[in-house]
Amino acid sequence: MKKEIFIDGPYITLGQLLKEEAIISSGGQAKWYLKETAVNVNNEPDNRRGRKLSDGDKVEIPDVGLFFIRSKQESE
């Protein structure tokens, strides 16, 4: 699945993305999820729940999908 994620501010954290997309049920699960799942940000492995994702970033989560981060300000 490919999906665009529109953000209001300058960034969203990787942990927030996981929670908003219902991949995890609470923010506290992000640390454990990222330890066990090989998530790629811009084609590089990353397991930091606080990783800031901004306009143009691409997040690939195995068995879930590909997410493209887009700024709402630029899309209006």
Side-chain angles (χ1 to χ4, degrees):
M1 165 182 77
K2 292 182 181 179
K3 183 174 182 184
E4 287 187 323
I5 306 298
F6 291 95
I7 56 174
D8 291 320
Y11 67 88
I12 184 174
T13 66
L14 184 53
Q16 289 171 324
L17 172 71
L18 294 173
K19 187 170 183 230
E20 286 186 17
E21 291 303 308
I23 298 165
I24 58 173
S25 58
S26 72
Q29 291 178 327
K31 181 178 181 178
W32 308 110
Y33 181 84
L34 292 169
K35 276 186 177 181
E36 297 178 6
T37 307
V39 173
N40 288 321
V41 176
N42 298 326
N43 299 319
E44 297 284 330
D46 203 325
N47 63 357
R48 298 173 293 162
R49 65 182 177 198
R51 165 70 189 260
K52 293 178 181 177
L53 305 169
S54 55
D55 186 50
D57 284 342
K58 177 177 77 168
V59 180
E60 185 175 4
I61 304 172
D63 301 322
V64 176
L66 188 58
F67 300 91
F68 298 96
I69 309 302
R70 300 288 183 249
S71 175
K72 277 189 179 176
Q73 290 96 6
E74 290 183 14
S75 66
E76 293 177 350

